[in-house]
Amino acid sequence: MRLFSPVCGLLNPLLRSPSSPYGIAFVQQAHRSTTESWLKKWSEFMSLKSKLSAAVAVTSSRSTLCSGFEPNRPGAGVLLVIGGLARRLLWCLLPLAAAATAQASDIVFTSNREGGIFQLYRMAEDGSSVKRATAEAMEAQQFDLSPDRKKAVFVSVRAGQPDLYIADLRTGQVTQLTNDAAMEATPIWSPDGKSVAYQSYLSRRPALYIINVDGTGHRKLTDEKGEESMPAFSPDGRKLAYVVTMGRRQAQIRTVDLESGKSTVIGAEPSVGLESGPRWSPDGSHLVYVMLKDDVTHIYTMRADGSERRALTTGEDKNNEPNWSVDGRQIVFLSIRKPSNRQAIYAMSEDGSRQRELVGGPEEHMLARWTPDHRSLYFMRFHRGAGQIFVASADGSDIRKVSSGSGYDAEFAFVSDANKAPTFAAR
């Protein structure tokens, strides 16, 4: 079971990205694989990829990430394999909510800087005052901050299997939220802070559930025939966008009304590619997402009802992981473009115009996020064989390293001292 920590931790920034081509390269023949067989595959993979930099440097522009794993072979799905504990886990999303406040005073992140397991930490925005966010040492992956930024929900195998836990960021005290025989993953907090949606293997296939933060009200959200993943709450908390995977080459975005339980297809009908990573605009009127088609990933937007679908990127570039600015006027994203063939950070207007590179260079980049005040850009860079957190001005200039030490710092999220809800859930 301890394989979960090094595999998930080292690759978590890749795994959390719902639209990352890194993730696509990992998904092979997972539909019929057992936990034991994946443990073996991952053990073999980790022995071959002794350096993380060697693993993360391979992108979708290169057809495989490890020998025998090709994203376009029959049997490939849209979900990501995490460690050896499951046949498939969704790409998450990751991700990371931004608070509607003047500035980000602190950053919460995961790291293995103390050696061994990845844990939850907190530091000042300049990288100083680093301290563990939990009172006792414990594994933490795939976290999400509550709207008031006082708590974090995360996945841990503390009790021998992946369950959900909630940490009080003020006291460091941890409470177990789920405790069953199934594997839980990718929890996200509702905008009102009263419940958590997540993926679970309680049923025969991965499905989405919701639970109150006090452990009551546990229920299954939908009853799809396919596999459900990548949940994202609408800003008003009334709907949940998610992805349903049907068969080998169909992944479609849908929404469910949380009051009535009615599910609606808002993705392309019929499906024309693999849709992933839906993220609501700050005002809830649109969603941005990624579509994989013909070996290329492009960024799209559509209205909340599925109308006015528009491709924001075109050509042979590989584009992924789009995130809205707090005002909804710009989108920051990752792109692999010639001649560098390295994943760089780009930005564009909400209509796809004014595309420009913010941060490039010879190294790979992940998890680009503007601060809520739009003055700074935080991102992950694979630097000297490890993942490190960097910060730059909003336009990509004046780059400085925030991470310290030799450990691997992974996913991160902004914290505000003010008790205000996030403008949107960027997942």
Side-chain angles (χ1 to χ4, degrees):
M1 299 297 284
R2 305 315 303 168
L3 187 61
F4 179 82
S5 176
V7 173
C8 252
L10 291 174
L11 299 178
N12 210 36
L14 284 70
L15 308 189
R16 288 194 60 86
S17 172
S19 52
S20 171
Y22 294 106
I24 295 170
F26 270 92
V27 186
Q28 299 300 320
Q29 299 176 334
H31 290 76
R32 297 293 181 267
S33 297
T34 63
T35 298
E36 291 76 13
S37 65
W38 275 114
L39 276 167
K40 181 179 178 181
K41 287 178 182 291
W42 274 97
S43 297
E44 293 172 352
F45 166 69
M46 292 304 291
S47 66
L48 290 173
K49 301 294 182 181
S50 59
K51 294 183 179 180
L52 177 66
S53 57
V56 299
V58 187
T59 66
S60 64
S61 62
R62 312 163 179 94
S63 62
T64 63
L65 185 57
C66 52
S67 178
F69 281 60
E70 302 172 7
N72 298 309
R73 288 178 56 186
V78 239
L79 301 180
L80 195 61
V81 177
I82 296 180
L85 291 179
R87 292 173 300 167
R88 283 163 297 172
L89 278 181
L90 63 144
W91 289 337
C92 322
L93 209 23
L94 351 297
L96 304 171
T101 53
Q103 62 181 11
S105 59
D106 273 354
I107 296 173
V108 175
F109 64 103
T110 56
S111 176
N112 70 343
R113 58 180 51 209
E114 294 184 30
I117 62 175
F118 278 72
Q119 301 184 66
L120 200 63
Y121 292 86
R122 184 170 181 165
M123 66 180 173
E125 58 185 352
D126 63 358
S128 62
S129 304
V130 179
K131 60 182 179 181
R132 196 174 62 218
T134 56
E136 60 180 284
M138 67 177 295
E139 186 174 48
Q141 306 283 347
Q142 305 174 36
F143 76 90
D144 189 36
L145 297 184
S146 60
D148 63 8
R149 328 308 277 167
K150 294 181 179 180
K151 296 181 179 181
V153 61
F154 60 93
V155 177
S156 179
V157 293
R158 183 185 192 186
Q161 62 193 22
D163 281 311
L164 304 186
Y165 293 78
I166 293 179
D168 189 317
L169 298 178
R170 298 164 297 178
T171 66
Q173 296 304 308
V174 175
T175 304
Q176 188 167 357
L177 184 60
T178 63
N179 184 14
D180 52 49
M183 177 178 60
E184 274 81 49
T186 61
I188 59 167
W189 225 293
S190 64
D192 63 6
K194 296 180 180 180
S195 58
V196 170
Y198 63 99
Q199 185 199 46
S200 177
Y201 282 71
L202 275 173
S203 56
R204 296 183 61 183
R205 59 175 64 93
L208 298 181
Y209 291 78
I210 195 168
I211 188 173
N212 295 332
V213 294
D214 62 2
T216 64
H218 178 264
R219 62 187 173 93
K220 190 177 180 182
L221 287 176
T222 63
D223 192 24
E224 304 284 3
K225 294 181 179 180
E227 300 184 352
E228 305 161 16
S229 62
M230 308 179 197
F233 279 105
S234 61
D236 60 12
R238 296 179 179 179
K239 293 183 178 181
L240 192 78
Y242 61 102
V243 174
V244 175
T245 304
M246 299 282 290
R248 298 175 177 178
R249 295 188 176 276
Q250 181 177 338
Q252 199 172 51
I253 297 174
R254 305 184 185 188
T255 59
V256 59
D257 186 291
L258 296 177
E259 182 176 353
S260 67
K262 181 181 179 182
S263 177
T264 304
V265 175
I266 62 171
E269 184 74 1
S271 177
V272 294
L274 301 179
E275 299 173 350
S276 64
R279 292 168 180 172
W280 297 86
S281 62
D283 62 4
S285 64
H286 289 74
L287 292 102
V288 64
Y289 63 101
V290 171
M291 181 181 291
L292 170 65
K293 183 180 180 181
D294 299 328
D295 254 351
V296 178
T297 51
H298 282 303
I299 297 172
Y300 287 72
T301 57
M302 61 180 166
R303 295 195 65 85
D305 62 1
S307 63
E308 299 182 21
R309 193 172 291 105
R310 174 191 295 179
L312 302 187
T313 60
T314 58
E316 297 181 357
D317 303 328
K318 280 74 174 178
N319 306 284
N320 65 89
E321 203 181 329
N323 280 283
W324 300 92
S325 60
V326 173
D327 61 10
R329 296 179 180 178
Q330 297 188 69
I331 295 172
V332 62
F333 63 103
L334 304 175
S335 186
I336 302 170
R337 302 188 177 188
K338 296 179 179 179
S340 70
N341 279 334
R342 292 289 185 179
Q343 187 155 263
I345 302 171
Y346 282 74
M348 60 183 165
S349 299
E350 59 181 317
D351 62 359
S353 63
R354 296 187 61 243
Q355 293 189 25
R356 69 267 186 201
E357 183 182 273
L358 298 183
V359 180
E363 296 169 300
E364 301 283 354
H365 299 83
M366 291 289 290
L367 300 182
R369 305 286 186 270
W370 278 307
T371 53
D373 61 5
H374 204 74
R375 293 180 180 178
S376 301
L377 175 74
Y378 281 79
F379 58 92
M380 268 197 59
R381 170 181 282 176
F382 295 101
H383 182 67
R384 297 179 179 176
Q388 303 280 288
I389 300 173
F390 285 74
V391 63
S393 299
D395 62 1
S397 62
D398 190 24
I399 298 174
R400 332 182 271 288
K401 188 162 78 78
V402 176
S403 295
S404 58
S406 58
Y408 184 100
D409 296 342
E411 52 189 329
F412 64 88
F414 302 124
V415 178
S416 167
D417 291 331
N419 298 325
K420 293 185 179 180
T423 300
F424 66 103
R427 280 189 178 268

